[in-house]
Each structure stands twice: as C-alpha cells, then as structure tokens.
Amino acid sequence: MKVGDKVKIIGSHTIEGKHRIGLIGEILDIDWKDEACFVLYPKGQAWVKRTDLEVIESINSPHPEATICGWVAVDDFDNAYIYHSKPTQRCREFCDTGDFITDWGCDTKYPNGKRCYVIDKDFFPDLTSESEPIPVEIIIKPKKQC
C-alpha cells in the first residue's frame, strides 16, 4: 500500500468504524509504526488499520497489486500460516491419541472468508512453534516486461 492508492475499507477494529465498511477512498498518509493509513472517503476521513483495507487500484501500475497483510506463525508440525490478525496459541488433544499439540488460531477472516493461508516455512527459517507470530505484508504484482 502506498499514498495515492484507491482502497476499500473491509473491516474495523472499533465499533465507531463499523459504518465505514464498504466505503472506497484514497490513502493520503501512512503510519508504518501503527500499521494504519489515513484514508479520505466520500463523507469523511479516518485512520484505518492496514489489515482493514483492500487495495482496489494501485498508483503507477496498470494492473492492481494483491496485498496480504497478516501474522505468520508455525505449528507443531512445522507448517507456517499467515493469519488475518495476530493469532493466539492453543494447546489441544491430537486425534484422540492422548497427545497434545500446539497450534494457532484467530477469530477474524480475510475478505474471501479464510482465516489463514498456508505459506512456505522456508521463507521464515527461524520461526518455530514456540516463536511469537510476526507481522508481515506480502505483495503480489504483475511481472514487468523484460
């Protein structure tokens, strides 16, 4: 996400912000520390968490980028996942075996309804199931002509 991008507000971390869901606006400023964007929309403006925005049209690009913001965590089976919001660690019984495993979960979802995506663990070699989740942003954009 960058200043000038056209975005759709897809969520809210506050009750006051729920009325903005679905509005389309333009990013005027970005606060990277607080992971928020200042968005100008038809009847107002507000600071909105980046995870509550979806880029509709990116400036300086004829094709829009796909951006996934979230948190990466690793389970006991060494699988990595990117979650919509910071996941919490859970300990639960594994398939009625009497063994317990540690996994992660969150209550919020991406716009398509998924809570998480599988991601290659090799991108995060230092993460283990004991590690705290880390915030990430993955940007997928069309390849430039060579």
Side-chain angles (χ1 to χ4, degrees):
M1 288 183 190
K2 51 192 164 294
V3 172
D5 283 356
K6 185 185 284 188
V7 293
K8 180 177 181 181
I9 301 172
I10 57 170
S12 176
H13 284 76
T14 65
I15 294 172
E16 301 83 30
K18 297 280 186 201
H19 73 281
R20 291 191 287 265
I21 294 174
L23 295 177
I24 295 175
E26 179 183 338
I27 295 176
L28 299 181
D29 192 12
I30 298 175
D31 182 339
W32 295 105
K33 179 177 171 261
D34 290 334
E35 298 185 0
C37 298
F38 192 69
V39 178
L40 176 66
Y41 52 91
K43 294 188 178 182
Q45 56 197 23
W47 282 101
V48 180
K49 290 283 189 186
R50 288 183 4 201
T51 55
D52 291 337
L53 296 173
E54 177 180 293
V55 175
I56 295 173
E57 185 178 322
S58 185
I59 62 166
N60 300 328
S61 173
H63 303 287
E65 298 176 345
T67 302
I68 300 172
C69 294
W71 295 77
V72 172
V74 175
D75 66 14
D76 274 351
F77 299 103
D78 215 28
N79 297 313
Y81 299 90
I82 181 169
Y83 293 87
H84 181 261
S85 60
K86 187 174 183 180
T88 54
Q89 199 168 38
R90 308 177 293 199
C91 185
R92 59 187 178 91
E93 187 174 4
F94 180 68
C95 299
D96 297 326
T97 62
D99 293 330
F100 285 83
I101 61 167
T102 301
D103 67 358
W104 298 88
C106 74
D107 293 330
T108 61
K109 297 178 183 178
Y110 285 100
N112 64 3
K114 293 184 180 225
R115 294 184 195 281
C116 65
Y117 293 98
V118 176
I119 190 165
D120 192 330
K121 167 70 170 72
D122 291 340
F123 290 124
F124 307 95
D126 296 335
L127 277 184
T128 68
S129 61
E130 289 84 33
S131 302
E132 279 296 308
I134 58 170
V136 298
E137 178 178 75
I138 298 173
I139 300 171
I140 304 168
K141 52 185 164 182
K143 181 180 177 183
K144 293 181 182 177
Q145 296 295 328
C146 298

